[in-house]
Amino acid sequence: MNAPQQTLADPIDIAKQLAHQFALTASERDKVGGNPKAERDLIRQSGLLGLSIPQQYGGQGADWKTIFQTIQTIAQVDSSVAHVYGFHHLLIATVQLFSQPTQYGKWFEQTAKDNLFWGNTLNPLDKRTTAQQISENEFIFQGDKSFCSGSIDSDILLCSAYNDAEKLLIGVIPTAREGVSFLGDWNNMGQRQTDSGTSHFEQVKISKDELLLNPGPLSTPYSSLRPLIAQLIFVHLFLGVAEGAFEVAKETVQSQKAWSKSLAENAVNDPFTQKHFAEFYVQLEGVRLLANKAVETLQKAWDIGESLTAKQRGEVSIAIATAKIAATNTSLFITQNIFQVMGARATTAKLNLDRFWRNVRTQTLHDPIDYKYQEVGEWVLTGKVPDPSFYA
């Protein structure tokens, strides 16, 4: 029986309303760090958590363009909250790609009905969590997992562990499952409210029907879209932060007098200031175009489904890698150089405007951009597309 479909106002408008609320406290919350509980609850109440869930399970079944636009909109004012919100939709997609409707249907129906927030304890590069099979249908997860964004205050966890044969097992469990705990040790210079610290699994029982075994991770070109979706979330995070910093700089300069040596009276008429803003604008427009192209290629691949070929998957990978390079460089450039046009007053700790740079500097280190250059360069010269991995 199909679950009743959620009805939702325009998701972009809802994201803008949320962004307006988040902007009121974003600077102070960045200083404090910790868990953005109130903001996560506002997202729960907004209905946006069901955006990526297919309609037959009670969600909105939105296209990827809409999903990414909501992430980008929130990132303009609060990239930490946008990160955990974006990862919620990544985890929903992960379950669709790694398992079958007969397994994930009940999780999606419950998520749409109760506005459940998914958290991430996957991180396949951290092999400290082990899986031991204790019976035909039961496993024990034991150990620690790092970089667990959005795990605290989540309702459902995507978790992983390696068994004795070095096979990665991925499961879906309630966050409140006995034995699951969070160390709350995330204290980095940026993305300070993503709760990306350590999770601990102490003899956590996981049943076989909670493991994503069919088709499992990266087993087909279609299932291998998962890391590409993650990369495109980062693209929209970086773009959103750059847009937010750009708007703050523009609003500031529009009310300023020009520098004393300038021939112009107002900053908006100063030729050097105009040049800087032209550079910002051109770079932003370039990223927007590349991001749109990448979203289009992903959507086509998503719609093809299980028939997706390795070549088609590779084309998506290159489009996203290209956008990732541009978004990384542009976000770092703009968030650093807005101070050049705003002047010394913009560096006051009260405004906390360095958070834009700190956030993208932290998140752009998620995986080395040098390897994105290598992938695109190899494709340009040889035609070879990147091999699927958890980061490409």
Side-chain angles (χ1 to χ4, degrees):
M1 182 178 179
N2 292 341
Q5 180 184 344
Q6 287 186 353
T7 56
L8 192 67
D10 181 73
I12 310 303
D13 288 342
I14 293 175
K16 288 178 179 178
Q17 293 167 14
L18 287 172
H20 177 73
Q21 292 176 282
F22 298 163
L24 300 176
T25 58
S27 175
E28 288 304 313
R29 286 187 291 104
D30 169 82
K31 295 176 183 178
V32 174
N35 179 262
K37 170 64 176 172
E39 290 67 33
R40 288 173 65 110
D41 283 344
L42 287 173
I43 293 177
R44 285 183 171 98
Q45 296 163 17
S46 74
L48 288 183
L49 295 180
L51 201 58
S52 58
I53 294 176
Q55 292 183 357
Q56 61 264 42
Y57 304 111
Q60 292 91 58
D63 59 17
W64 279 112
K65 180 179 180 180
T66 301
I67 296 167
F68 288 125
Q69 282 183 326
T70 61
I71 297 169
Q72 179 181 337
T73 298
I74 295 173
Q76 290 167 357
V77 300
D78 192 330
S79 60
S80 286
V81 174
H83 181 157
V84 296
Y85 165 70
F87 264 43
H88 164 86
H89 293 297
L90 171 64
L91 302 178
I92 295 293
T94 302
V95 171
Q96 286 183 262
L97 292 168
F98 291 179
S99 65
Q100 300 297 322
T102 52
Q103 183 178 25
Y104 63 66
K106 62 182 183 296
W107 295 326
F108 286 2
E109 288 177 356
Q110 183 183 8
T111 297
K113 177 177 177 290
D114 297 329
N115 294 313
L116 302 183
F117 221 128
W118 287 53
N120 173 49
T121 56
L122 175 59
N123 191 3
L125 295 184
D126 188 345
K127 297 185 177 182
R128 291 178 297 165
T129 306
T130 60
Q132 179 185 5
Q133 188 167 4
I134 59 174
S135 69
E136 182 180 355
N137 294 309
E138 194 167 49
F139 296 75
I140 294 290
F141 278 23
Q142 175 69 38
D144 292 333
K145 188 73 70 171
S146 58
F147 292 107
C148 298
S149 301
S151 53
I152 299 176
D153 186 48
S154 65
D155 304 296
I156 298 178
L157 283 179
L158 195 70
C159 56
S160 75
Y162 283 89
N163 64 14
D164 292 338
E166 286 293 302
K167 179 181 179 181
L168 179 68
L169 299 179
I170 297 176
V172 176
I173 62 173
T175 304
R177 176 69 54 86
E178 184 178 359
V180 177
S181 60
F182 309 104
L183 302 190
D185 54 353
W186 180 251
N187 187 24
N188 286 42
M189 71 177 187
Q191 295 297 86
R192 291 180 48 76
Q193 288 205 310
T194 59
D195 288 314
S196 296
T198 306
S199 298
H200 179 68
F201 294 82
E202 183 63 37
Q203 298 292 300
V204 176
K205 293 182 179 180
I206 297 182
S207 62
K208 189 174 183 179
D209 63 6
E210 292 175 320
L211 297 178
L212 309 181
L213 302 174
N214 181 20
L218 310 183
S219 54
T220 67
Y222 181 60
S223 69
S224 299
L225 289 176
R226 192 268 180 191
L228 303 184
I229 295 170
Q231 292 290 317
L232 202 44
I233 287 173
F234 296 143
V235 169
H236 287 84
L237 277 175
F238 304 158
L239 176 56
V241 175
E243 289 175 331
F246 176 82
E247 288 301 321
V248 168
K250 187 170 71 170
E251 291 173 7
T252 301
V253 168
Q254 285 173 335
S255 62
Q256 284 181 335
K257 294 290 185 180
W259 177 243
S260 59
K261 289 190 176 182
S262 174
L263 297 179
E265 180 180 354
N266 298 315
V268 294
N269 301 122
D270 178 76
F272 295 108
T273 301
Q274 292 171 344
K275 177 180 179 292
H276 284 301
F277 275 95
E279 288 179 319
F280 298 159
Y281 175 77
V282 169
Q283 290 201 28
L284 282 173
E285 281 292 279
V287 177
R288 289 174 185 135
L289 290 171
L290 289 171
N292 287 339
K293 178 181 177 181
V295 173
E296 289 175 4
T297 61
L298 172 66
Q299 187 67 60
K300 289 178 182 177
W302 184 266
D303 293 341
I304 291 172
E306 292 292 350
S307 300
L308 187 72
T309 66
K311 181 177 183 296
Q312 290 169 325
R313 191 265 182 199
E315 292 170 353
V316 181
S317 179
I318 290 298
I320 292 176
T322 304
K324 175 78 176 297
I325 291 170
T328 297
N329 292 337
T330 293
S331 62
L332 290 171
F333 177 80
I334 290 178
T335 56
Q336 175 183 336
N337 286 288
I338 55 172
F339 298 97
Q340 193 68 26
V341 295
M342 290 190 295
R345 288 185 177 85
T347 64
T348 176
K350 181 179 181 180
L351 293 177
N352 194 23
L353 296 181
D354 61 306
R355 71 184 186 275
F356 291 109
W357 178 85
R358 287 187 289 101
N359 286 335
V360 291
R361 180 67 283 179
T362 299
Q363 194 60 45
T364 51
L365 297 174
H366 177 271
D367 53 297
I369 194 65
D370 289 337
Y371 287 91
K372 288 292 176 283
Y373 277 108
Q374 183 272 324
E375 291 169 0
V376 174
E378 184 177 33
W379 170 75
V380 169
L381 293 173
T382 71
K384 182 185 181 302
V385 296
D387 295 323
S389 72
F390 272 101
Y391 289 98

